[in-house]
Amino acid sequence: PGDLIIRLDNEPVKGLGVDAAIERMRGPRGSKIEVTIAREGENQPINLTLERDIVKVKSVRSRWLEPGYGYLRIAQFQAGTGKDVGSELESLMSEQELRGIVLDLRNNPGGVLGSSIDVAGHFLEGGTVVYTEGRAKNSEVRYNATATDTTSGAPVVVLINGGSASASEIVAGALQD
């Protein structure tokens, strides 16, 4: 945190947009890229040679805050996030009775829409999660949660902040409604 990328393969990134920089950083798995960073407190830039690889982010983590009260953190909505939420909830509930849960969506940039529907379904007894409508005929689309409510009606507190976007906003809004 706080490092500033200033060159990629000895090419300056100044004036380069984020998407273009990301595109320049991507490459075949196993290939190498030289990244030059500026770090506060260092007099000279630091050169790093990195090997490209597939980055797998565990999107769901859980733990007990105190007896009966669980904590579920979703970092981003990936294809399997709904299933992962179900597994984490089942794991928590196999240890002890769930009296309430904190769902942490802070700094969650969103992701796969279908996963947000699946996640909301773990806390709802069915119903509309999100819908679109427009002027054109047949533009209305509804996405409904399955009637699962894995938590059996346990109270849910949802944490969001300015970094919560897209799918995380959909889940937070659906649970609020």
Side-chain angles (χ1 to χ4, degrees), residues 105 124 128-129 158 160 167-177:
L105 302 175
L124 299 172
T128 301
V129 174
V158 181
I160 60 170
S168 58
E169 292 173 302
I170 288 170
V171 170
L175 296 183
Q176 181 179 23
D177 288 353

Side-chain angles (χ1 to χ4, degrees), residues 16-29:
L16 197 61
V18 174
D19 290 338
I22 290 171
E23 189 60 35
R24 198 181 282 181
M25 284 186 262
R26 288 190 172 147
R29 183 178 186 184

Side-chain angles (χ1 to χ4, degrees), residues 61-91:
R61 290 190 169 86
S62 67
R63 63 184 168 91
W64 288 106
L65 295 172
E66 61 181 63
Y69 295 94
Y71 174 85
L72 189 69
R73 165 85 176 126
I74 303 176
Q76 65 185 49
F77 287 86
Q78 301 172 349
T81 300
K83 181 181 170 202
D84 293 345
V85 166
S87 296
E88 293 290 331
L89 286 170
E90 287 176 18
S91 176

Side-chain angles (χ1 to χ4, degrees), residues 59-155:
S59 71
V60 182
R61 290 190 169 86
S62 67
R63 63 184 168 91
W64 288 106
L65 295 172
E66 61 181 63
Y69 295 94
Y71 174 85
L72 189 69
R73 165 85 176 126
I74 303 176
Q76 65 185 49
F77 287 86
Q78 301 172 349
T81 300
K83 181 181 170 202
D84 293 345
V85 166
S87 296
E88 293 290 331
L89 286 170
E90 287 176 18
S91 176
L92 286 172
M93 294 168 65
S94 71
E95 295 174 19
Q96 58 183 285
E97 180 185 353
L98 184 66
R99 296 179 53 209
I101 188 131
V102 174
L103 178 60
D104 190 349
L105 302 175
R106 292 175 296 178
N107 296 315
N108 180 320
V112 178
L113 174 65
S115 288
S116 70
I117 310 306
D118 295 341
V119 167
H122 286 289
F123 302 97
L124 299 172
E125 294 179 355
T128 301
V129 174
V130 67
Y131 69 92
T132 62
E133 60 181 49
R135 295 180 203 170
K137 291 181 180 181
N138 302 325
S139 65
E140 184 175 313
V141 180
R142 290 191 177 277
Y143 298 93
N144 296 311
T146 57
T148 51
D149 188 7
T150 308
T151 66
S152 301

